[in-house]
Each structure stands twice: as structure tokens, then as C-alpha cells.
Amino acid sequence: MKIEFAPLNIPLRRRLQTAAVLQWVFSFLALAQCCMAGFVLLALSDWWVLAMLYAGWLWLDWDTPTCGGRRSRWVRSWSVWRHFRDYFPLNLVKTVDLDPRKNYIFGFHPHGVLVAGGFGNFCTEATGFSSLFPGLKPHLLMLPFWFRVPLFRDYIMSGGLVSSSKSSLSHLVSRPEGGNVAVIAVGGAPEALDARPGALTLQVLSRKGFIKMALKHGAQLVPVFSFGENELFDQMENPSGSPLRTLQDRLQSIMGVAMPLFHARGVFQYSFGLMPYRKPIHTVGMNAHTHTHTHTHTHISLTRLSRA
């Protein structure tokens, strides 16, 4: 296989963009494991008291991921996220004003392999969410398992990530003061297994729980589509019924986490690696709907999109 190396005279700004995305990929794929290993090593060292103190804090703080999390404006505004945004580049498109006195559920599609659009737009201020939608706080929902990992949970909560449990979603959209946005990657882990360039397979027809929650609490539904999300990574062929897809579906049903075998480019060469391609991502939020019949209309629109 011929390897295409990156030129040596790449501008510093592009190097910084690559470094920003590299740390994001590492955070997504390996930071949780490193945090767990670090906590265990700390507990077995002479500094075990620190580990026990943190364990006590973890016990007291256990329910925070299901009660709105603990976001940090400082972390969300790190300059590294601007370099992350410019790598693709990433763009958040506003199509309508949203009333900050109401609560919202953003139904995000497609999931993609690593949800780059969802993270960049709703877990950082790189694309200016707070400026575009003043008075609203976005919360990207993530599998509850990750909030049980010491230290890692605190880091992801600082960006606005919260548990995807039913009680967590209910807490966000039932706040009487409004101003909460629950961002749900509707297709979840199964949709990631179909994410590849030039293809769009959405998991919609069996995903109705968030619509029922919106109706129950009077939250507004906002369809959000991230154009270009599936263009970031190639993936090994895994058609339905193939041995690889059967194994992936089995692991997903057991662990709740998708295991797509993806690849794209590297840091210093363009032929292979786990770095995403530099492809633009345009995340667009549609109009929100309030009443029961318009909630249904939103669901039908998404269903039609999945069949297109």
C-alpha cells in the first residue's frame, strides 16, 4: 500500500487543528480507560488516601449526571475547541429563534462514528451556541456507563454531557424555569455501525421514547441534522447478516456500546489511521413544534427522511 505523507511545510494553524482533534479522538477512545487505570494505581499507592477521598466524593456526587450535570463555562470555552472546529470545519446553522423560557429536545442525526458534530456544537462554545441561542443550555446525552468511570465523568460533565437515562432526560425537560436543551443522538449506537461516506441510514422508526417524553412534559421537539457527519471515517464492510455485523450487534446488545471498525487518515500521513478526514460539517436545527399534532408532524418528517 502506497503511503501519502503530509508535507513538511504545513502552516502552524493546521498543525494545531490536527493536535486538537487528536486529543479529542484520544479522549473518546482511551481517556476513560486511562482514568480508571490511574485511579486504581492511586488506590494501590502510598497516596491511597486521595483515592478514598475521591471515592467518597463519587458516592456523594453519584446522581449528578442524571440531575443536569455540572458544566464548566471555562472548559467549554477552551481555545483548543476553536482549533477543533476549524479542522473540519464545523458550522452551526440557526434557522429559528428559540424561547429561553421553554425546554427543548434536539433530535440529532446522524450519529456518525464519533458524533463530532454533536460534541463540537453542543459540548463546546466553538460554534457559538450560547450566542446563537441566548438563555439556553445544551446537554448532550451519553450512555450512563461512562459516568461511573472515576475522573472521566467529571471531565465529560464539564462540557455539558449528562446521562441518557430516562430520569436524566425527564429532569432536563421538566424544569419549570425552562432554558434546557437535551440533545439526543436518536439513532444511538446501532446507527454508528452504518456510518460511512456516501451513505445515510437512520434509526428512527423504533425510536419514539423521546417523543413521548416531550409530550409528557410539554417540551418542544427540534429536528437537528448534521450534514457531513458520515463523511469523516471509512468503515469495514459490515452488511446486515454478515459475520462481522452479527458480532457487532451481539457486542452492542451486551455492552450497549457500538464497535465500528473505522479508519481514515493519520497525523503525519493521509493513507491510514484513526484521525477523521477534513470534511465540512454543517449542523442545522429545524423549526420547533409545540402542540400534540405538531409533535406528530415532526416525527413523520423524520420518518420520511429515514426512508429517503
Side-chain angles (χ1 to χ4, degrees), residues 17-18 20-26 84 87-88 113-114 116 228-229 231-234 262-267 269-270 273-279 281:
Q17 292 166 10
T18 300
V21 173
L22 178 62
Q23 65 83 27
W24 170 73
V25 172
F26 169 79
F84 173 87
Y87 176 92
F88 300 100
V113 173
L114 298 184
E229 186 76 41
E231 306 301 314
L232 304 183
F233 296 96
D234 290 311
F262 63 92
H263 58 92
R265 51 158 289 183
V267 176
Q269 46 75 30
Y270 303 137
L274 299 180
M275 290 284 290
Y277 296 123
R278 286 181 179 265
K279 299 289 185 179
I281 304 174

PDB file of all heavy atoms in Angstrom, residues 17-18 20-26 84 87-88 113-114 116 228-229 231-234 262-267 269-270 273-279 281:
ATOM      1  N   GLN A  17      -4.720  22.478  14.616  1.00  0.00           N
ATOM      2  CA  GLN A  17      -6.013  21.841  14.366  1.00  0.00           C
ATOM      3  C   GLN A  17      -5.899  20.322  14.482  1.00  0.00           C
ATOM      4  O   GLN A  17      -6.744  19.664  15.098  1.00  0.00           O
ATOM      5  CB  GLN A  17      -6.521  22.229  12.980  1.00  0.00           C
ATOM      6  CG  GLN A  17      -6.892  23.688  12.834  1.00  0.00           C
ATOM      7  CD  GLN A  17      -7.058  24.113  11.383  1.00  0.00           C
ATOM      8  OE1 GLN A  17      -7.074  23.278  10.470  1.00  0.00           O
ATOM      9  NE2 GLN A  17      -7.163  25.414  11.158  1.00  0.00           N
ATOM     10  N   THR A  18      -4.834  19.768  13.900  1.00  0.00           N
ATOM     11  CA  THR A  18      -4.623  18.320  13.976  1.00  0.00           C
ATOM     12  C   THR A  18      -4.416  17.874  15.417  1.00  0.00           C
ATOM     13  O   THR A  18      -4.964  16.858  15.856  1.00  0.00           O
ATOM     14  CB  THR A  18      -3.409  17.920  13.123  1.00  0.00           C
ATOM     15  OG1 THR A  18      -3.634  18.290  11.755  1.00  0.00           O
ATOM     16  CG2 THR A  18      -3.169  16.411  13.189  1.00  0.00           C
ATOM     17  N   ALA A  20      -5.543  19.336  18.101  1.00  0.00           N
ATOM     18  CA  ALA A  20      -6.814  19.461  18.829  1.00  0.00           C
ATOM     19  C   ALA A  20      -7.704  18.258  18.571  1.00  0.00           C
ATOM     20  O   ALA A  20      -8.333  17.721  19.496  1.00  0.00           O
ATOM     21  CB  ALA A  20      -7.525  20.750  18.416  1.00  0.00           C
ATOM     22  N   VAL A  21      -7.770  17.822  17.323  1.00  0.00           N
ATOM     23  CA  VAL A  21      -8.617  16.669  17.000  1.00  0.00           C
ATOM     24  C   VAL A  21      -7.993  15.376  17.516  1.00  0.00           C
ATOM     25  O   VAL A  21      -8.703  14.457  17.945  1.00  0.00           O
ATOM     26  CB  VAL A  21      -8.845  16.597  15.473  1.00  0.00           C
ATOM     27  CG1 VAL A  21      -9.580  15.312  15.089  1.00  0.00           C
ATOM     28  CG2 VAL A  21      -9.649  17.819  15.015  1.00  0.00           C
ATOM     29  N   LEU A  22      -6.675  15.301  17.521  1.00  0.00           N
ATOM     30  CA  LEU A  22      -6.004  14.114  18.051  1.00  0.00           C
ATOM     31  C   LEU A  22      -6.341  13.912  19.517  1.00  0.00           C
ATOM     32  O   LEU A  22      -6.651  12.791  19.947  1.00  0.00           O
ATOM     33  CB  LEU A  22      -4.493  14.252  17.870  1.00  0.00           C
ATOM     34  CG  LEU A  22      -3.641  13.096  18.425  1.00  0.00           C
ATOM     35  CD1 LEU A  22      -3.976  11.789  17.723  1.00  0.00           C
ATOM     36  CD2 LEU A  22      -2.149  13.413  18.270  1.00  0.00           C
ATOM     37  N   GLN A  23      -6.301  15.001  20.314  1.00  0.00           N
ATOM     38  CA  GLN A  23      -6.637  14.844  21.738  1.00  0.00           C
ATOM     39  C   GLN A  23      -8.108  14.482  21.911  1.00  0.00           C
ATOM     40  O   GLN A  23      -8.473  13.763  22.841  1.00  0.00           O
ATOM     41  CB  GLN A  23      -6.278  16.100  22.528  1.00  0.00           C
ATOM     42  CG  GLN A  23      -7.043  17.363  22.194  1.00  0.00           C
ATOM     43  CD  GLN A  23      -8.397  17.470  22.879  1.00  0.00           C
ATOM     44  OE1 GLN A  23      -8.594  16.909  23.957  1.00  0.00           O
ATOM     45  NE2 GLN A  23      -9.335  18.162  22.251  1.00  0.00           N
ATOM     46  N   TRP A  24      -8.980  14.957  21.009  1.00  0.00           N
ATOM     47  CA  TRP A  24     -10.402  14.598  21.086  1.00  0.00           C
ATOM     48  C   TRP A  24     -10.606  13.117  20.784  1.00  0.00           C
ATOM     49  O   TRP A  24     -11.357  12.432  21.486  1.00  0.00           O
ATOM     50  CB  TRP A  24     -11.194  15.459  20.102  1.00  0.00           C
ATOM     51  CG  TRP A  24     -12.614  15.028  19.911  1.00  0.00           C
ATOM     52  CD1 TRP A  24     -13.641  15.166  20.789  1.00  0.00           C
ATOM     53  CD2 TRP A  24     -13.163  14.378  18.756  1.00  0.00           C
ATOM     54  NE1 TRP A  24     -14.806  14.646  20.256  1.00  0.00           N
ATOM     55  CE2 TRP A  24     -14.530  14.162  19.007  1.00  0.00           C
ATOM     56  CE3 TRP A  24     -12.624  13.979  17.534  1.00  0.00           C
ATOM     57  CZ2 TRP A  24     -15.367  13.534  18.082  1.00  0.00           C
ATOM     58  CZ3 TRP A  24     -13.454  13.363  16.610  1.00  0.00           C
ATOM     59  CH2 TRP A  24     -14.818  13.154  16.894  1.00  0.00           C
ATOM     60  N   VAL A  25      -9.925  12.612  19.749  1.00  0.00           N
ATOM     61  CA  VAL A  25     -10.023  11.183  19.420  1.00  0.00           C
ATOM     62  C   VAL A  25      -9.508  10.345  20.581  1.00  0.00           C
ATOM     63  O   VAL A  25     -10.112   9.333  20.962  1.00  0.00           O
ATOM     64  CB  VAL A  25      -9.249  10.865  18.119  1.00  0.00           C
ATOM     65  CG1 VAL A  25      -9.179   9.360  17.888  1.00  0.00           C
ATOM     66  CG2 VAL A  25      -9.904  11.544  16.925  1.00  0.00           C
ATOM     67  N   PHE A  26      -8.385  10.767  21.166  1.00  0.00           N
ATOM     68  CA  PHE A  26      -7.851  10.058  22.328  1.00  0.00           C
ATOM     69  C   PHE A  26      -8.848  10.067  23.485  1.00  0.00           C
ATOM     70  O   PHE A  26      -9.068   9.040  24.139  1.00  0.00           O
ATOM     71  CB  PHE A  26      -6.531  10.695  22.778  1.00  0.00           C
ATOM     72  CG  PHE A  26      -6.053  10.197  24.109  1.00  0.00           C
ATOM     73  CD1 PHE A  26      -5.419   8.969  24.216  1.00  0.00           C
ATOM     74  CD2 PHE A  26      -6.246  10.947  25.268  1.00  0.00           C
ATOM     75  CE1 PHE A  26      -4.985   8.499  25.451  1.00  0.00           C
ATOM     76  CE2 PHE A  26      -5.815  10.489  26.499  1.00  0.00           C
ATOM     77  CZ  PHE A  26      -5.186   9.257  26.592  1.00  0.00           C
ATOM     78  N   PHE A  84     -10.266  22.676  17.007  1.00  0.00           N
ATOM     79  CA  PHE A  84     -11.081  21.503  16.675  1.00  0.00           C
ATOM     80  C   PHE A  84     -12.122  21.868  15.618  1.00  0.00           C
ATOM     81  O   PHE A  84     -12.311  21.153  14.633  1.00  0.00           O
ATOM     82  CB  PHE A  84     -11.753  20.988  17.947  1.00  0.00           C
ATOM     83  CG  PHE A  84     -12.753  19.889  17.744  1.00  0.00           C
ATOM     84  CD1 PHE A  84     -12.354  18.568  17.706  1.00  0.00           C
ATOM     85  CD2 PHE A  84     -14.107  20.171  17.595  1.00  0.00           C
ATOM     86  CE1 PHE A  84     -13.283  17.540  17.519  1.00  0.00           C
ATOM     87  CE2 PHE A  84     -15.035  19.164  17.411  1.00  0.00           C
ATOM     88  CZ  PHE A  84     -14.622  17.838  17.369  1.00  0.00           C
ATOM     89  N   TYR A  87     -10.680  22.427  12.049  1.00  0.00           N
ATOM     90  CA  TYR A  87     -10.110  21.252  11.376  1.00  0.00           C
ATOM     91  C   TYR A  87     -11.020  20.764  10.267  1.00  0.00           C
ATOM     92  O   TYR A  87     -10.568  20.429   9.176  1.00  0.00           O
ATOM     93  CB  TYR A  87      -9.878  20.149  12.412  1.00  0.00           C
ATOM     94  CG  TYR A  87      -9.385  18.838  11.841  1.00  0.00           C
ATOM     95  CD1 TYR A  87      -8.025  18.573  11.744  1.00  0.00           C
ATOM     96  CD2 TYR A  87     -10.278  17.837  11.425  1.00  0.00           C
ATOM     97  CE1 TYR A  87      -7.559  17.361  11.240  1.00  0.00           C
ATOM     98  CE2 TYR A  87      -9.827  16.632  10.929  1.00  0.00           C
ATOM     99  CZ  TYR A  87      -8.471  16.397  10.829  1.00  0.00           C
ATOM    100  OH  TYR A  87      -8.026  15.205  10.328  1.00  0.00           O
ATOM    101  N   PHE A  88     -12.334  20.719  10.499  1.00  0.00           N
ATOM    102  CA  PHE A  88     -13.239  20.093   9.533  1.00  0.00           C
ATOM    103  C   PHE A  88     -13.571  20.996   8.338  1.00  0.00           C
ATOM    104  O   PHE A  88     -13.432  20.475   7.204  1.00  0.00           O
ATOM    105  CB  PHE A  88     -14.512  19.646  10.257  1.00  0.00           C
ATOM    106  CG  PHE A  88     -14.237  18.656  11.350  1.00  0.00           C
ATOM    107  CD1 PHE A  88     -14.179  19.057  12.684  1.00  0.00           C
ATOM    108  CD2 PHE A  88     -14.000  17.327  11.048  1.00  0.00           C
ATOM    109  CE1 PHE A  88     -13.898  18.144  13.690  1.00  0.00           C
ATOM    110  CE2 PHE A  88     -13.724  16.406  12.050  1.00  0.00           C
ATOM    111  CZ  PHE A  88     -13.676  16.811  13.375  1.00  0.00           C
ATOM    112  N   VAL A 113     -19.702   8.131  13.401  1.00  0.00           N
ATOM    113  CA  VAL A 113     -18.857   7.206  14.153  1.00  0.00           C
ATOM    114  C   VAL A 113     -18.551   7.749  15.542  1.00  0.00           C
ATOM    115  O   VAL A 113     -18.714   7.065  16.557  1.00  0.00           O
ATOM    116  CB  VAL A 113     -17.552   6.912  13.382  1.00  0.00           C
ATOM    117  CG1 VAL A 113     -16.600   6.085  14.241  1.00  0.00           C
ATOM    118  CG2 VAL A 113     -17.843   6.176  12.084  1.00  0.00           C
ATOM    119  N   LEU A 114     -18.126   9.023  15.628  1.00  0.00           N
ATOM    120  CA  LEU A 114     -17.734   9.600  16.918  1.00  0.00           C
ATOM    121  C   LEU A 114     -18.539  10.839  17.304  1.00  0.00           C
ATOM    122  O   LEU A 114     -18.159  11.577  18.215  1.00  0.00           O
ATOM    123  CB  LEU A 114     -16.238   9.958  16.898  1.00  0.00           C
ATOM    124  CG  LEU A 114     -15.244   8.811  16.701  1.00  0.00           C
ATOM    125  CD1 LEU A 114     -13.821   9.319  16.800  1.00  0.00           C
ATOM    126  CD2 LEU A 114     -15.477   7.692  17.702  1.00  0.00           C
ATOM    127  N   ALA A 116     -18.964  13.809  16.040  1.00  0.00           N
ATOM    128  CA  ALA A 116     -18.146  15.023  16.037  1.00  0.00           C
ATOM    129  C   ALA A 116     -19.000  16.281  16.031  1.00  0.00           C
ATOM    130  O   ALA A 116     -18.719  17.243  16.756  1.00  0.00           O
ATOM    131  CB  ALA A 116     -17.209  15.013  14.823  1.00  0.00           C
ATOM    132  N   GLY A 228     -22.651  15.997   6.593  1.00  0.00           N
ATOM    133  CA  GLY A 228     -21.229  15.707   6.532  1.00  0.00           C
ATOM    134  C   GLY A 228     -20.722  14.816   7.642  1.00  0.00           C
ATOM    135  O   GLY A 228     -19.561  14.394   7.621  1.00  0.00           O
ATOM    136  N   GLU A 229     -21.563  14.517   8.620  1.00  0.00           N
ATOM    137  CA  GLU A 229     -21.139  13.708   9.769  1.00  0.00           C
ATOM    138  C   GLU A 229     -20.636  12.331   9.335  1.00  0.00           C
ATOM    139  O   GLU A 229     -19.658  11.815   9.893  1.00  0.00           O
ATOM    140  CB  GLU A 229     -22.305  13.550  10.741  1.00  0.00           C
ATOM    141  CG  GLU A 229     -21.958  12.861  12.043  1.00  0.00           C
ATOM    142  CD  GLU A 229     -21.196  13.751  13.007  1.00  0.00           C
ATOM    143  OE1 GLU A 229     -21.548  14.942  13.115  1.00  0.00           O
ATOM    144  OE2 GLU A 229     -20.242  13.261  13.643  1.00  0.00           O
ATOM    145  N   GLU A 231     -19.184  11.542   6.618  1.00  0.00           N
ATOM    146  CA  GLU A 231     -18.074  11.602   5.668  1.00  0.00           C
ATOM    147  C   GLU A 231     -16.707  11.552   6.347  1.00  0.00           C
ATOM    148  O   GLU A 231     -15.681  11.572   5.670  1.00  0.00           O
ATOM    149  CB  GLU A 231     -18.168  12.897   4.841  1.00  0.00           C
ATOM    150  CG  GLU A 231     -19.493  13.107   4.141  1.00  0.00           C
ATOM    151  CD  GLU A 231     -19.826  11.985   3.179  1.00  0.00           C
ATOM    152  OE1 GLU A 231     -18.944  11.585   2.393  1.00  0.00           O
ATOM    153  OE2 GLU A 231     -20.982  11.499   3.222  1.00  0.00           O
ATOM    154  N   LEU A 232     -16.673  11.488   7.672  1.00  0.00           N
ATOM    155  CA  LEU A 232     -15.415  11.651   8.399  1.00  0.00           C
ATOM    156  C   LEU A 232     -14.570  10.388   8.463  1.00  0.00           C
ATOM    157  O   LEU A 232     -13.343  10.469   8.593  1.00  0.00           O
ATOM    158  CB  LEU A 232     -15.706  12.131   9.823  1.00  0.00           C
ATOM    159  CG  LEU A 232     -16.528  13.408   9.960  1.00  0.00           C
ATOM    160  CD1 LEU A 232     -16.657  13.791  11.424  1.00  0.00           C
ATOM    161  CD2 LEU A 232     -15.927  14.533   9.156  1.00  0.00           C
ATOM    162  N   PHE A 233     -15.198   9.222   8.402  1.00  0.00           N
ATOM    163  CA  PHE A 233     -14.467   7.965   8.551  1.00  0.00           C
ATOM    164  C   PHE A 233     -14.961   6.933   7.545  1.00  0.00           C
ATOM    165  O   PHE A 233     -16.155   6.872   7.236  1.00  0.00           O
ATOM    166  CB  PHE A 233     -14.658   7.376   9.960  1.00  0.00           C
ATOM    167  CG  PHE A 233     -14.103   8.211  11.069  1.00  0.00           C
ATOM    168  CD1 PHE A 233     -14.927   9.082  11.775  1.00  0.00           C
ATOM    169  CD2 PHE A 233     -12.768   8.118  11.427  1.00  0.00           C
ATOM    170  CE1 PHE A 233     -14.429   9.852  12.813  1.00  0.00           C
ATOM    171  CE2 PHE A 233     -12.259   8.889  12.475  1.00  0.00           C
ATOM    172  CZ  PHE A 233     -13.087   9.754  13.165  1.00  0.00           C
ATOM    173  N   ASP A 234     -14.032   6.110   7.065  1.00  0.00           N
ATOM    174  CA  ASP A 234     -14.405   4.887   6.360  1.00  0.00           C
ATOM    175  C   ASP A 234     -14.636   3.801   7.401  1.00  0.00           C
ATOM    176  O   ASP A 234     -14.192   3.911   8.553  1.00  0.00           O
ATOM    177  CB  ASP A 234     -13.290   4.461   5.400  1.00  0.00           C
ATOM    178  CG  ASP A 234     -13.168   5.398   4.210  1.00  0.00           C
ATOM    179  OD1 ASP A 234     -14.207   5.697   3.592  1.00  0.00           O
ATOM    180  OD2 ASP A 234     -12.040   5.835   3.918  1.00  0.00           O
ATOM    181  N   PHE A 262     -13.511   1.412  12.220  1.00  0.00           N
ATOM    182  CA  PHE A 262     -13.369   2.557  11.333  1.00  0.00           C
ATOM    183  C   PHE A 262     -11.908   2.912  11.117  1.00  0.00           C
ATOM    184  O   PHE A 262     -11.018   2.518  11.881  1.00  0.00           O
ATOM    185  CB  PHE A 262     -14.121   3.761  11.916  1.00  0.00           C
ATOM    186  CG  PHE A 262     -13.592   4.254  13.233  1.00  0.00           C
ATOM    187  CD1 PHE A 262     -12.632   5.262  13.275  1.00  0.00           C
ATOM    188  CD2 PHE A 262     -14.043   3.720  14.435  1.00  0.00           C
ATOM    189  CE1 PHE A 262     -12.136   5.725  14.477  1.00  0.00           C
ATOM    190  CE2 PHE A 262     -13.554   4.181  15.644  1.00  0.00           C
ATOM    191  CZ  PHE A 262     -12.591   5.185  15.667  1.00  0.00           C
ATOM    192  N   HIS A 263     -11.672   3.677  10.084  1.00  0.00           N
ATOM    193  CA  HIS A 263     -10.337   4.172   9.780  1.00  0.00           C
ATOM    194  C   HIS A 263     -10.474   5.377   8.858  1.00  0.00           C
ATOM    195  O   HIS A 263     -11.500   5.569   8.204  1.00  0.00           O
ATOM    196  CB  HIS A 263      -9.489   3.082   9.110  1.00  0.00           C
ATOM    197  CG  HIS A 263     -10.092   2.553   7.838  1.00  0.00           C
ATOM    198  ND1 HIS A 263      -9.797   3.068   6.593  1.00  0.00           N
ATOM    199  CD2 HIS A 263     -11.011   1.578   7.620  1.00  0.00           C
ATOM    200  CE1 HIS A 263     -10.485   2.422   5.670  1.00  0.00           C
ATOM    201  NE2 HIS A 263     -11.228   1.518   6.260  1.00  0.00           N
ATOM    202  N   ALA A 264      -9.435   6.185   8.820  1.00  0.00           N
ATOM    203  CA  ALA A 264      -9.448   7.360   7.940  1.00  0.00           C
ATOM    204  C   ALA A 264      -8.006   7.726   7.594  1.00  0.00           C
ATOM    205  O   ALA A 264      -7.374   7.075   6.782  1.00  0.00           O
ATOM    206  CB  ALA A 264     -10.192   8.522   8.598  1.00  0.00           C
ATOM    207  N   ARG A 265      -7.457   8.729   8.269  1.00  0.00           N
ATOM    208  CA  ARG A 265      -6.096   9.184   7.989  1.00  0.00           C
ATOM    209  C   ARG A 265      -5.290   9.226   9.281  1.00  0.00           C
ATOM    210  O   ARG A 265      -5.830   9.008  10.364  1.00  0.00           O
ATOM    211  CB  ARG A 265      -6.120  10.572   7.352  1.00  0.00           C
ATOM    212  CG  ARG A 265      -6.958  11.583   8.128  1.00  0.00           C
ATOM    213  CD  ARG A 265      -6.568  13.000   7.816  1.00  0.00           C
ATOM    214  NE  ARG A 265      -5.264  13.332   8.376  1.00  0.00           N
ATOM    215  CZ  ARG A 265      -4.698  14.537   8.300  1.00  0.00           C
ATOM    216  NH1 ARG A 265      -5.329  15.510   7.665  1.00  0.00           N
ATOM    217  NH2 ARG A 265      -3.530  14.776   8.856  1.00  0.00           N
ATOM    218  N   GLY A 266      -3.992   9.501   9.150  1.00  0.00           N
ATOM    219  CA  GLY A 266      -3.139   9.592  10.311  1.00  0.00           C
ATOM    220  C   GLY A 266      -2.740  11.021  10.600  1.00  0.00           C
ATOM    221  O   GLY A 266      -3.232  11.971   9.984  1.00  0.00           O
ATOM    222  N   VAL A 267      -1.808  11.189  11.527  1.00  0.00           N
ATOM    223  CA  VAL A 267      -1.352  12.521  11.914  1.00  0.00           C
ATOM    224  C   VAL A 267      -0.360  13.078  10.897  1.00  0.00           C
ATOM    225  O   VAL A 267      -0.458  14.232  10.476  1.00  0.00           O
ATOM    226  CB  VAL A 267      -0.704  12.480  13.313  1.00  0.00           C
ATOM    227  CG1 VAL A 267      -0.145  13.849  13.694  1.00  0.00           C
ATOM    228  CG2 VAL A 267      -1.722  12.012  14.352  1.00  0.00           C
ATOM    229  N   GLN A 269       0.455  11.330   7.904  1.00  0.00           N
ATOM    230  CA  GLN A 269       0.211  10.778   6.575  1.00  0.00           C
ATOM    231  C   GLN A 269      -1.285  10.636   6.366  1.00  0.00           C
ATOM    232  O   GLN A 269      -2.062  10.658   7.317  1.00  0.00           O
ATOM    233  CB  GLN A 269       0.939   9.441   6.385  1.00  0.00           C
ATOM    234  CG  GLN A 269       0.812   8.444   7.546  1.00  0.00           C
ATOM    235  CD  GLN A 269      -0.544   7.768   7.637  1.00  0.00           C
ATOM    236  OE1 GLN A 269      -1.212   7.574   6.625  1.00  0.00           O
ATOM    237  NE2 GLN A 269      -0.951   7.408   8.842  1.00  0.00           N
ATOM    238  N   TYR A 270      -1.685  10.522   5.104  1.00  0.00           N
ATOM    239  CA  TYR A 270      -3.099  10.565   4.741  1.00  0.00           C
ATOM    240  C   TYR A 270      -3.668   9.203   4.343  1.00  0.00           C
ATOM    241  O   TYR A 270      -4.803   9.141   3.869  1.00  0.00           O
ATOM    242  CB  TYR A 270      -3.300  11.533   3.568  1.00  0.00           C
ATOM    243  CG  TYR A 270      -2.812  12.940   3.825  1.00  0.00           C
ATOM    244  CD1 TYR A 270      -2.101  13.638   2.846  1.00  0.00           C
ATOM    245  CD2 TYR A 270      -3.052  13.582   5.035  1.00  0.00           C
ATOM    246  CE1 TYR A 270      -1.653  14.936   3.069  1.00  0.00           C
ATOM    247  CE2 TYR A 270      -2.606  14.874   5.275  1.00  0.00           C
ATOM    248  CZ  TYR A 270      -1.899  15.541   4.286  1.00  0.00           C
ATOM    249  OH  TYR A 270      -1.458  16.820   4.508  1.00  0.00           O
ATOM    250  N   GLY A 273      -5.224   5.445   9.507  1.00  0.00           N
ATOM    251  CA  GLY A 273      -5.174   5.953  10.868  1.00  0.00           C
ATOM    252  C   GLY A 273      -6.560   6.180  11.418  1.00  0.00           C
ATOM    253  O   GLY A 273      -7.572   5.884  10.768  1.00  0.00           O
ATOM    254  N   LEU A 274      -6.636   6.739  12.607  1.00  0.00           N
ATOM    255  CA  LEU A 274      -7.915   6.956  13.293  1.00  0.00           C
ATOM    256  C   LEU A 274      -8.302   8.428  13.358  1.00  0.00           C
ATOM    257  O   LEU A 274      -9.278   8.770  14.017  1.00  0.00           O
ATOM    258  CB  LEU A 274      -7.846   6.377  14.710  1.00  0.00           C
ATOM    259  CG  LEU A 274      -7.594   4.867  14.803  1.00  0.00           C
ATOM    260  CD1 LEU A 274      -7.557   4.425  16.266  1.00  0.00           C
ATOM    261  CD2 LEU A 274      -8.647   4.079  14.044  1.00  0.00           C
ATOM    262  N   MET A 275      -7.555   9.281  12.677  1.00  0.00           N
ATOM    263  CA  MET A 275      -7.929  10.683  12.587  1.00  0.00           C
ATOM    264  C   MET A 275      -9.006  10.858  11.520  1.00  0.00           C
ATOM    265  O   MET A 275      -8.935  10.242  10.457  1.00  0.00           O
ATOM    266  CB  MET A 275      -6.713  11.534  12.227  1.00  0.00           C
ATOM    267  CG  MET A 275      -5.689  11.640  13.326  1.00  0.00           C
ATOM    268  SD  MET A 275      -6.223  12.774  14.633  1.00  0.00           S
ATOM    269  CE  MET A 275      -6.109  14.341  13.773  1.00  0.00           C
ATOM    270  N   PRO A 276     -10.019  11.677  11.768  1.00  0.00           N
ATOM    271  CA  PRO A 276     -11.073  11.875  10.764  1.00  0.00           C
ATOM    272  C   PRO A 276     -10.549  12.651   9.562  1.00  0.00           C
ATOM    273  O   PRO A 276      -9.564  13.390   9.651  1.00  0.00           O
ATOM    274  CB  PRO A 276     -12.134  12.683  11.521  1.00  0.00           C
ATOM    275  CG  PRO A 276     -11.367  13.392  12.587  1.00  0.00           C
ATOM    276  CD  PRO A 276     -10.266  12.466  12.997  1.00  0.00           C
ATOM    277  N   TYR A 277     -11.229  12.473   8.433  1.00  0.00           N
ATOM    278  CA  TYR A 277     -10.922  13.272   7.254  1.00  0.00           C
ATOM    279  C   TYR A 277     -11.324  14.723   7.510  1.00  0.00           C
ATOM    280  O   TYR A 277     -12.218  15.004   8.303  1.00  0.00           O
ATOM    281  CB  TYR A 277     -11.684  12.741   6.039  1.00  0.00           C
ATOM    282  CG  TYR A 277     -11.290  11.350   5.618  1.00  0.00           C
ATOM    283  CD1 TYR A 277     -12.239  10.331   5.548  1.00  0.00           C
ATOM    284  CD2 TYR A 277      -9.978  11.046   5.263  1.00  0.00           C
ATOM    285  CE1 TYR A 277     -11.899   9.049   5.150  1.00  0.00           C
ATOM    286  CE2 TYR A 277      -9.623   9.767   4.869  1.00  0.00           C
ATOM    287  CZ  TYR A 277     -10.583   8.768   4.809  1.00  0.00           C
ATOM    288  OH  TYR A 277     -10.242   7.504   4.421  1.00  0.00           O
ATOM    289  N   ARG A 278     -10.667  15.630   6.816  1.00  0.00           N
ATOM    290  CA  ARG A 278     -11.049  17.038   6.876  1.00  0.00           C
ATOM    291  C   ARG A 278     -12.227  17.263   5.930  1.00  0.00           C
ATOM    292  O   ARG A 278     -12.066  17.618   4.762  1.00  0.00           O
ATOM    293  CB  ARG A 278      -9.872  17.927   6.484  1.00  0.00           C
ATOM    294  CG  ARG A 278      -8.769  18.044   7.537  1.00  0.00           C
ATOM    295  CD  ARG A 278      -7.666  18.965   7.037  1.00  0.00           C
ATOM    296  NE  ARG A 278      -6.599  19.141   8.003  1.00  0.00           N
ATOM    297  CZ  ARG A 278      -6.518  20.143   8.878  1.00  0.00           C
ATOM    298  NH1 ARG A 278      -7.469  21.074   8.889  1.00  0.00           N
ATOM    299  NH2 ARG A 278      -5.502  20.240   9.708  1.00  0.00           N
ATOM    300  N   LYS A 279     -13.415  17.048   6.424  1.00  0.00           N
ATOM    301  CA  LYS A 279     -14.641  17.236   5.662  1.00  0.00           C
ATOM    302  C   LYS A 279     -15.544  18.207   6.417  1.00  0.00           C
ATOM    303  O   LYS A 279     -15.712  18.085   7.623  1.00  0.00           O
ATOM    304  CB  LYS A 279     -15.374  15.912   5.455  1.00  0.00           C
ATOM    305  CG  LYS A 279     -14.574  14.857   4.686  1.00  0.00           C
ATOM    306  CD  LYS A 279     -14.445  15.222   3.223  1.00  0.00           C
ATOM    307  CE  LYS A 279     -13.755  14.104   2.443  1.00  0.00           C
ATOM    308  NZ  LYS A 279     -13.649  14.433   1.004  1.00  0.00           N
ATOM    309  N   ILE A 281     -18.636  19.999   8.198  1.00  0.00           N
ATOM    310  CA  ILE A 281     -19.848  19.546   8.873  1.00  0.00           C
ATOM    311  C   ILE A 281     -20.741  20.764   9.091  1.00  0.00           C
ATOM    312  O   ILE A 281     -20.326  21.745   9.696  1.00  0.00           O
ATOM    313  CB  ILE A 281     -19.530  18.895  10.238  1.00  0.00           C
ATOM    314  CG1 ILE A 281     -18.546  17.744  10.076  1.00  0.00           C
ATOM    315  CG2 ILE A 281     -20.809  18.417  10.914  1.00  0.00           C
ATOM    316  CD1 ILE A 281     -18.075  17.164  11.395  1.00  0.00           C
TER     317      ILE A 281
END
